[in-house]
């Protein structure tokens, strides 16, 4: 049973990475095998807009370091999406992942309707980190992120962490957040 984390932060020891690690520790404690994909550290190419995924549902024709993990999304037990807020939205690395997830949406006959290439019943967790102290300040992009990468594909959300005020309270010092993250990881398995 594999839990796959996609990390949109370029900072290997940053807040997102710290919280994702705690979620993965919880999943490991319940017997999961865990993989973390640091989007900044792999060869990552944008969607080509070739629409080959409309002809071959669930298959992305772009070939790069992400390809194997897009396949793994369909076979794993659950995914974690983690990302800092950059300029009121997700990082560029995360936006590329979201665009490439388009290949997991299968177009139905009716324009604008989709079904998921991801088998039902998989678990999902979301982690975001921001400097702004108000947890509601980026509710729109966060709702968008959870919709595109989670509920829209049929994942069942097991929990989310919106880490705020990161300059004053870095995640590594936030025991309550790390405990919650660990528990979410346990619930994912
Ligand atoms: C280029 C850039 C843009 C940022 N934009 C925002 C922003 O719009 N709102 C905010 O609250 N924090 C913003 N931040 C702060 C980060 O979201 C914050 O430091 C976060 O904790 C970083 O996460 P990480 O340690 O996982 O990389 C920005 C940081 C950078 C480097």
């Amino acid at each position: 049973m594999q839990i796959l984390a996609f990390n949109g932060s370029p900072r290997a020891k940053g807040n997102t990475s710290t919280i994702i690690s705690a979620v993965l520790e919880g999943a490991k404690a319940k017997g999961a095998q865990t993989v973390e994909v640091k989007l900044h550290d792999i060869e990552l190419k944008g969607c080509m807009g070739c629409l080959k995924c409309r002809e071959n549902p669930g298959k992305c024709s772009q070939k790069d370091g992400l390809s194997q993990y897009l396949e793994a999304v369909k076979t794993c037990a659950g995914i974690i999406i983690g990302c800092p807020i950059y300029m009121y939205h997700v990082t560029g690395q995360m936006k590329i992942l979201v665009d490439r997830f388009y290949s997991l949406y299968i177009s139905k006959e009716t324009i604008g309707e989709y079904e998921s290439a991801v088998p039902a019943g998989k678990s999902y967790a979301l982690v975001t980190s921001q400097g702004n102290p108000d947890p509601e300040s980026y509710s729109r992009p966060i709702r968008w992120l959870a919709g595109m990468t989670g509920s829209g594909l049929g994942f069942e959300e097991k929990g989310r962490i919106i880490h705020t005020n990161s300059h004053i309270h870095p995640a590594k010092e936030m025991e309550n957040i790390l405990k919650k993250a660990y528990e979410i990881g346990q619930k994912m398995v």
Side-chain angles (χ1 to χ4, degrees):
M1 167 169 294
Q2 187 182 68
I3 299 290
L4 195 55
F6 291 99
N7 186 346
S9 171
R11 298 191 335 130
K13 294 186 176 164
N15 298 294
T16 309
S17 304
T18 301
I19 301 168
I20 286 177
S21 294
V23 181
L24 292 177
E25 281 307 312
K28 260 190 232 166
K30 289 283 179 181
Q33 182 215 347
T34 62
V35 175
E36 182 178 0
V37 184
K38 296 188 174 187
L39 297 171
H40 184 68
D41 295 343
I42 62 170
E43 185 199 21
L44 190 62
K45 295 184 185 171
C47 168
M48 301 182 283
C50 66
L51 299 183
K52 293 258 171 57
C53 56
R54 299 308 90 191
E55 295 157 29
N56 303 304
K59 297 271 173 203
C60 180
S61 288
Q62 180 64 284
K63 296 294 168 231
D64 62 0
L66 187 63
S67 304
Q68 61 170 307
Y69 301 115
L70 281 178
E71 284 300 311
V73 168
K74 294 179 273 183
T75 56
C76 70
I79 65 166
I80 302 159
I81 298 286
C83 194
I85 298 292
Y86 272 17
M87 308 304 272
Y88 286 45
H89 217 283
V90 297
T91 60
Q93 293 89 335
M94 180 54 67
K95 180 59 167 63
I96 288 181
L97 179 75
V98 175
D99 288 352
R100 298 281 296 282
F101 265 32
Y102 184 56
S103 61
L104 300 173
Y105 283 88
I106 305 171
S107 295
K108 285 191 182 175
E109 299 250 316
T110 319
I111 290 172
E113 285 189 15
Y114 300 92
E115 54 192 296
S116 178
V118 181
K122 297 184 190 298
S123 58
Y124 179 87
L126 184 75
V127 173
T128 63
S129 178
Q130 64 190 52
N132 193 313
D134 177 3
E136 295 299 321
S137 46
Y138 308 112
S139 53
R140 266 181 86 165
I142 290 172
R143 198 177 330 122
W144 165 85
L145 182 61
M148 289 292 142
T149 59
S151 57
L153 288 169
F155 284 97
E156 289 172 21
E157 186 170 323
K158 301 296 178 186
R160 68 174 66 179
I161 289 179
I162 314 287
H163 170 236
T164 60
N165 221 358
S166 61
H167 306 301
I168 295 169
H169 297 298
K172 60 175 191 258
E173 292 171 10
M174 300 295 289
E175 274 178 34
N176 57 338
I177 284 187
L178 298 178
K179 181 171 178 287
K180 184 179 168 193
Y182 184 89
E183 287 166 0
I184 291 172
Q186 288 182 311
K187 271 195 247 167
M188 290 186 78
V189 181

